[in-house]
Each structure stands twice: as structure tokens, then as C-alpha cells.
Amino acid sequence: MSESGTQLFARLEARRCLKDVEPRLFADDGGPDRGKTELLYHLLCRCVLPEAAGGLEVDVVFVDTDYSLDMFRLASVLDSRLNAGGSAGSDDAVLRSCLSRLLVVRCSSSSQLLLTLHFLETTLSSRPRAALLLIDSISAFYWSDRSEAASVAKQEEKLSRCSELLGRLLRDYRITIFATCHPIRRGSNGPPSSSEADRSHLCRAWQRLVTHRLVCSRQEAQHNPANGDERSGEQRNWQVFTVHCSSWTGTRGSRVSSFRVTDGGVEFIWTPRPPPDLSAVL
């Protein structure tokens, strides 16, 4: 099933969200998956926002295999960015114009994902402003495919074909692709690093396609005294995440960034770089 962001938002906006039905039982733990999701919203908003509000004003295709796309949260972040950028954020037409640049496709199996990628070639041909493809997540059907397959080669067959199609889209349409991946193996101590073996559980065809890898981990919550009175018990803690970005193309290197998740979306935090090792330089 595919629909534009405007259609999806119109279908859901009249329905009451019960995310806060009982916060004492279902508290938001702010885990790494939340940081990953908020990063996707950040990239998505950056692309669909108008240039006047600091965006790129291009079309985005969001392939939702985890059924985790929260349109209300996305609309809230978009509205905050529009207001911050000096645009008429309160104007419903501006918000819907941003959402019209988003195409959402949902898949419930690796077979549907494969068919979707075939369909995307036609979509990209008809939407020349489409520049970003988001897949959340590329590993959603790992365990279901594994349970159905008689061999490793059979298990990896569909993802290998998906990887080949993605490679063709990259070559023929020069789009940018971001895909999330659930780690299968993690080290026993501390957050996973980009060099750990959690990269190897997906097929080789996919691994050859990856040029940059971002690993998201959670830090201690950061107290924000400006958002509440400690005596009233309404003080607010921002959840802070760290992202390790590694590159396998050109000059290999890595970068570490930190951000916190606020009501208005991702807010990057400046972190001072350590001084150079003079002995290594000399």
C-alpha cells in the first residue's frame, strides 16, 4: 500500500492518539531505536521543508517495513521547523505542501519489499524531484526469512535481489538511500561499534552497497532546568544520543556527533574535539 504524506495524515488526523494512555505504565524509555527514528524524521524534514525554511524542497520516498512511522510526530516536527524558519508554520497549506513531497509505502514481507523496489523505478521516473529513499528497516524480515528458508543462500536470496535493485536505483537515478538495520549481535560491554560483527548478519550484496555506517547509542538523560520547576516535579530531561559515523569510500574515517531529542525534533549538541596527539603528529 502506498499513499502520499498528505493522504496518510488526513486519514489519521481525526483519530485520537492514546500514546499517553497511562505514562506510569508505558513510559518512554528513550532507547536507541527512538534516536534512530528521530534521526529519520530529521532527515525527512530537512528534505521536504521549503527552501525558505532552510529545507531542500525535494521529494522523499519512505518504505516502512517496521510500521513505525508516526505521522503525528512527523507533522509536529515539521510545524516546529516551519515556525523556527520564519515560514507560516501555522498555515495548514504549508504543512500539507511539505507532506505532499512524501510518499509512504508499507511492506509486510520481503516479497513485498522486492516488488516495491521494482515499483519505485517507475515512481522515480515520474517524480524527478525525488532525491531520498528511506527504508525502515532493511532487516525487518531477517527472522521470518530465516525461519522459512532451507539454507542460508535461500534465506538471503530476496535481500540480495533487493540490494541489486537498490544498486540500480543509485546508479540510474543518483538518489540517496538511508536504511536502518536492527543489530543481531552486540558486544557484552558498552554500545556497539561500527567494527563489530553485527554488520555481517545481512547478505554480502547488501554489505557491498553500504558506503557509510551510523551506529546510534544512548547516553544519560540531560537535565533541562528551563523546562519546568523542580519543586512542582515538572522538570524535563532531554534524552541524549551519540552517533558514530564511519565511511568506507574515498578517505576512510569516522565522526562522532551527539544530539538530543526535543519536542521540535533532533537538536545537535556541540562537542569539543580532543586536542591532537602531538607525539603522533611529530
Side-chain angles (χ1 to χ4, degrees), residues 138 155-164 202-203 206:
I138 195 66
Q155 171 197 341
E156 296 180 343
E157 180 181 359
K158 291 175 184 175
L159 182 55
S160 295
R161 293 170 63 187
C162 287
S163 301
E164 293 172 3
L202 295 182
C203 65
W206 170 254

Side-chain angles (χ1 to χ4, degrees), residues 4 25 108 112 115 162 170 182 194 196 214 223 226 243:
S4 70
L25 291 176
S108 57
Q112 286 189 3
L115 290 173
C162 287
L170 284 169
H182 301 298
S194 59
E196 286 182 350
L214 287 79
H223 179 55
V243 179

